[in-house]
Amino acid sequence: MTYVNLQTDSDGIQWLEKDPDAQLDFMFDWAGQEHGNWSDDWLQPGEVISSHTIEMPANADGDLILDSDAPIQDQKAVIVWLSGGTVCESYDIVCRIVTNLSRTDDRTMRIKVRER
């Protein structure tokens, strides 16, 4: 998964850099502590993701492409594969989940496109 240079903007949204020529995987994780990635778990014991949707930003306008998305890690995270993007643009991608306990949550990840 793509974790390199994970930072947080002043508005609290975590962001990662992406080269416009790269096709990379990015993960939205609701069991970060369990997976060793973050300091907390949002999911309760026995809770898993039942469904998810990915919302691409309006400014993506076809230049940042969602190639695929799927639940992973025992249905406790969602992976998205992204390609393209315009240099110097930022894109806020939203992942909304519904769990087997009928709880709903959104996570936003900002992708900043930079030439490397």
Side-chain angles (χ1 to χ4, degrees):
M1 303 309 144
T2 303
Y3 297 116
V4 178
N5 298 325
L6 181 64
Q7 298 181 47
T8 303
D9 272 344
S10 60
D11 58 3
I13 296 177
Q14 292 181 327
W15 65 272
L16 292 158
E17 288 186 345
K18 181 196 169 307
D19 186 280
D21 297 321
Q23 181 188 33
L24 295 173
D25 53 327
F26 299 91
M27 184 170 62
F28 294 90
D29 193 354
W30 278 266
Q33 184 176 24
E34 178 182 331
H35 298 145
N37 302 322
W38 314 109
S39 61
D40 65 342
D41 288 338
W42 183 85
L43 295 172
Q44 301 297 313
E47 188 174 21
V48 295
I49 298 170
S50 297
S51 65
H52 75 277
T53 56
I54 303 298
E55 180 182 319
M56 295 294 287
N59 72 323
D61 201 27
D63 60 334
L64 180 70
I65 299 165
L66 173 64
D67 294 313
S68 65
D69 58 278
I72 60 169
Q73 296 198 355
D74 298 326
Q75 293 183 261
K76 295 180 180 182
V78 174
I79 190 170
V80 295
W81 283 86
L82 301 171
S83 60
T86 300
V87 174
C88 296
E89 286 287 328
S90 293
Y91 305 92
D92 289 355
I93 292 109
V94 178
C95 181
R96 171 172 284 175
I97 63 161
V98 177
T99 73
N100 61 325
L101 299 179
S102 299
R103 297 194 313 149
T104 301
D105 193 32
D106 289 346
R107 297 270 170 99
T108 301
M109 182 183 303
R110 184 166 290 147
I111 304 298
K112 295 183 178 186
V113 180
R114 309 274 192 262
E115 286 284 352
R116 292 188 183 171

